[in-house]
């Protein structure tokens, strides 16, 4: 596609529910990143994919968070048993390879009530 | 540990003036740097990048300067316009580290 696409754009969920966030990277981009941004804050790194493998999962805040990538393309970030502190904008970025220009999607705004 | 940060959290600029946004980094192994612009409610937008084998790179109305000696990066915006009002982030990467590390951001406000 023309850019990185994320869905849904907004998600409101009840505390304790599971949510799945989707990222469609730019076609041909092998590197994919997930970040989290709380209101008025910077970007917190969550996970990095090179192809389908995740060499760096160091940013996942707890075992309630997981992510996968299939076919070297679409990635999903899953948050189980959501908590109010999970409320944030979740951003996805892709690049041709790591250490090259990374382009971001518009993000998914997650609100846990 | 390594960190990337910005010197000032806010910058107010008169329309038409030049803006300079600064960024300090501590990882001496960092070899790739990017500046992003983020408008309210949107994802970060790529502005310009620079690799460590360069000191300066120019784009349209923007210039990035890299001083590896003091681990300092700056973004200069010429003839600042109201549409330049946003939060600006610097990010760095190294060949030994996959992730892009971001600073806290500088909010630029352009006065008419």
């Amino acid at each position: 596609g023309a850019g990185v696409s994320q869905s849904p754009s907004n998600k409101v969920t009840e505390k304790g529910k599971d949510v799945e966030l989707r990222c469609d990277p730019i076609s041909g981009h092998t590197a994919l990143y997930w970040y989290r941004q709380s209101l008025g804050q910077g970007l917190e790194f969550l996970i990095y994919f090179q192809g389908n493998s995740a060499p760096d999962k160091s940013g996942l805040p707890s075992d309630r968070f997981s992510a996968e990538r299939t076919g070297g393309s679409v990635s999903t970030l899953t948050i189980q048993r959501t908590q109010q502190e999970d409320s944030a904008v979740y951003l996805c970025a892709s690049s041709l390879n790591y250490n090259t220009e990374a382009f971001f999607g518009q993000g998914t705004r997650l609100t846990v009530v | 540990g390594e960190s990337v940060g910005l010197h000032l959290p806010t910058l107010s600029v008169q329309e038409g003036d030049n803006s300079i946004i600064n960024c300090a980094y501590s990882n001496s192994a960092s070899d790739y740097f990017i500046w992003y612009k983020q408008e309210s409610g949107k994802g970060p937008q790529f502005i310009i990048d620079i690799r460590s084998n360069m000191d300066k790179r120019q784009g349209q109305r923007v210039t990035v300067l890299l001083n590896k000696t003091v681990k300092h990066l700056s973004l200069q915006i010429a003839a600042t316009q109201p549409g330049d009002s946003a939060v600006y982030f610097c990010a760095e990467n190294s060949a030994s580290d996959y992730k892009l590390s971001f600073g806290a951001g500088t909010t630029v406000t352009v006065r008419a």
Side-chain angles (χ1 to χ4, degrees):
Chain A
V4 178
S5 178
Q6 291 187 245
S7 60
S9 55
N10 280 284
K11 176 71 176 179
V12 179
T13 190
E14 291 181 352
K15 178 181 173 182
K17 299 282 189 183
D18 298 351
V19 295
E20 212 173 74
L21 312 180
R22 177 186 168 107
C23 173
D24 281 272
I26 293 172
S27 179
H29 281 194
T30 63
L32 186 146
Y33 306 80
W34 282 99
Y35 287 84
R36 179 169 71 173
Q37 187 175 34
S38 299
L39 187 63
Q41 301 297 310
L43 278 73
E44 174 190 3
F45 171 78
L46 297 179
I47 189 169
Y48 163 82
F49 285 94
Q50 180 63 35
N52 291 336
S53 63
D56 192 347
K57 303 180 182 179
S58 63
L60 294 177
S62 75
D63 59 7
R64 295 186 296 104
F65 288 72
S66 63
E68 65 175 13
R69 189 179 185 193
T70 55
S73 181
V74 172
S75 177
T76 54
L77 177 69
T78 301
I79 309 173
Q80 295 178 308
R81 304 180 303 281
T82 51
Q83 304 295 313
Q84 287 186 329
E85 60 262 28
D86 299 333
S87 297
V89 175
Y90 289 81
L91 291 158
C92 174
S94 73
S95 62
L96 204 57
N97 204 339
Y98 83 100
N99 227 18
T100 62
E101 303 169 34
F103 298 93
F104 280 83
Q106 295 302 296
T108 293
R109 180 175 298 278
L110 176 66
T111 304
V112 182
V113 297
Chain B
E2 294 83 17
S3 67
V4 179
L6 295 170
H7 289 314
L8 294 174
T10 62
L11 178 67
S12 181
V13 184
Q14 185 68 40
E15 182 179 356
D17 286 353
N18 296 334
S19 304
I20 299 177
I21 307 165
N22 295 305
C23 180
Y25 64 95
S26 60
N27 183 2
S28 57
S30 296
D31 59 5
Y32 180 58
F33 304 86
I34 305 178
W35 280 101
Y36 286 94
K37 171 187 180 183
Q38 188 175 28
E39 296 173 287
S40 181
K42 297 184 179 180
Q45 175 189 353
F46 175 92
I47 301 174
I48 192 168
D49 60 358
I50 189 168
R51 296 195 180 274
S52 59
N53 60 351
M54 301 176 70
D55 297 321
K56 178 180 180 178
R57 189 154 189 239
Q58 289 186 292
Q60 185 178 10
R61 281 201 308 120
V62 295
T63 301
V64 55
L65 299 176
L66 176 62
N67 185 329
K68 295 179 288 294
T69 302
V70 296
K71 299 193 192 71
H72 184 269
L73 188 71
S74 68
L75 178 71
Q76 300 178 358
I77 305 173
T80 311
Q81 303 170 359
D84 295 327
S85 293
V87 179
Y88 290 80
F89 294 96
C90 63
E92 59 90 12
N93 194 200
S94 71
S96 61
D97 188 2
Y98 297 108
K99 65 178 179 284
L100 274 173
S101 296
F102 282 79
T106 293
T107 301
V108 173
T109 303
V110 181
R111 307 187 307 270

